[in-house]
Amino acid sequence: AQTVTQSQPEMSVQEAETVTLSCTYDTSESDYYLFWYKQPPSRQMILVIRQEAYKQQNATENRFSVNFQKAAKSFSLKISDSQLGDAAMYFCAYLYNQGGKLIFGQGTELSVKP
Amino acid sequence: DSGVTQTPKHLITATGQRVTLRCSPRSGDLSVYWYQQSLDQGLQFLIQYYNGEERAKGNILERFSAQQFPDLHSELNLSSLELGDSALYFCASSVEGLAGVDEQFFGPGTRLTVL
């Protein structure tokens, strides 16, 4: 069974600094997708970035980028130039190519200090 | 706004009762997913429907059931409620959700409190 692990329950970053959130996963599949979702205090789930496992190039979306290490089954999220609005719970998620079920990690609560 | 609507926003009920949560997917989306977010279990997949048919099942209790109607809206029925069923229930929708990456758009959730 696929599992997703986020080992950092809480992280803190100074405004304008860079922070990296860690995620590891376990799967025997070779074709899958990985996501980072943001959940602000409003509880809305917002897709931040996604990565296709078959792509070697790391995904980037403005200030958000990932470090995808397929062999190590690692998928970290880097947030550059952190802003107060980045404060939220961040979830790493796995999606198997043949199904729509998202498997989530436990989440990392990110606080941003002014 | 994701385009996915869920009603009600909040629901407070007593143990042993039955409730129905409703979800309307984005226009054109055929797949609907239900997820439960609780302090104990985190975010868990419950069930997926595609064009009216059950497509995938997760850790959904037997006391819970769901269906997707011809107009593609979905309902999640929770019965014989227990204190542990208190959670945030999300509905998400996607165009197909059969294979390949197909972004899931999440609704705002229904907060269920069982007293």
Side-chain angles (χ1 to χ4, degrees):
Chain A
Q2 296 89 356
T3 59
V4 177
T5 302
Q6 293 177 250
S7 59
Q8 306 153 316
E10 297 174 351
M11 290 283 285
S12 181
V13 63
Q14 206 71 32
E15 195 176 5
E17 296 295 308
T18 296
V19 65
T20 298
L21 308 185
S22 301
C23 172
T24 58
Y25 59 95
D26 189 23
T27 183
S28 58
E29 306 298 334
S30 59
D31 193 9
Y32 52 87
Y33 304 87
L34 297 164
F35 304 84
W36 279 98
Y37 279 87
K38 171 184 177 182
Q39 188 179 41
S42 67
R43 297 298 184 187
Q44 178 72 47
M45 294 292 288
I46 302 164
L47 178 63
V48 174
I49 198 167
R50 72 182 191 198
Q51 174 80 43
E52 291 85 346
Y54 63 84
K55 289 187 178 178
Q56 290 189 334
Q57 187 172 6
N58 289 324
T60 299
E61 287 287 341
N62 300 314
R63 298 183 294 107
F64 299 87
S65 61
V66 299
N67 184 3
F68 173 48
Q69 303 288 329
K70 192 172 184 179
K73 296 180 183 174
S74 169
F75 183 60
S76 61
L77 174 70
K78 186 171 84 171
I79 306 174
S80 304
D81 185 25
S82 296
Q83 300 175 1
L84 295 177
D86 294 334
M89 183 73 87
Y90 286 82
F91 291 95
C92 178
Y94 167 99
L95 175 69
Y96 175 44
N97 185 40
Q98 296 303 316
K101 170 173 85 168
L102 280 168
I103 299 172
F104 288 92
Q106 305 91 319
T108 297
E109 179 84 53
L110 176 67
S111 59
V112 180
K113 297 180 179 177
Chain B
D1 186 355
S2 66
V4 179
T5 60
Q6 289 187 248
T7 56
K9 207 169 186 176
H10 301 279
L11 201 48
I12 301 174
T13 188
T15 55
Q17 295 299 305
R18 173 189 170 94
V19 296
T20 297
L21 313 183
R22 183 188 169 100
C23 168
S24 293
R26 291 186 324 151
S27 177
D29 284 0
L30 299 177
S31 264
V32 168
Y33 314 79
W34 287 97
Y35 292 89
Q36 179 195 58
Q37 184 176 26
S38 65
L39 287 175
D40 293 342
Q41 304 292 331
L43 258 166
Q44 282 200 109
F45 168 77
L46 295 178
I47 198 163
Q48 176 196 0
Y49 277 82
Y50 171 74
N51 204 21
E53 299 290 326
E54 184 183 301
R55 166 80 177 131
K57 218 168 187 176
N59 296 326
I60 187 167
L61 299 172
E62 284 191 13
R63 301 182 286 108
F64 295 2
S65 65
Q67 56 184 323
Q68 186 179 28
F69 295 86
D71 67 352
L72 300 177
H73 91 271
S74 178
E75 292 181 356
L76 179 66
N77 300 295
L78 316 176
S79 61
S80 303
L81 285 167
E82 301 175 359
L83 295 177
D85 297 329
S86 294
L88 185 57
Y89 290 85
F90 283 108
C91 169
S93 74
S94 69
V95 176
E96 287 191 354
L98 299 179
V101 68
D102 195 7
E103 182 177 346
Q104 295 183 25
F105 293 85
F106 282 76
T110 292
R111 168 75 67 186
L112 173 66
T113 303
V114 182
L115 301 175

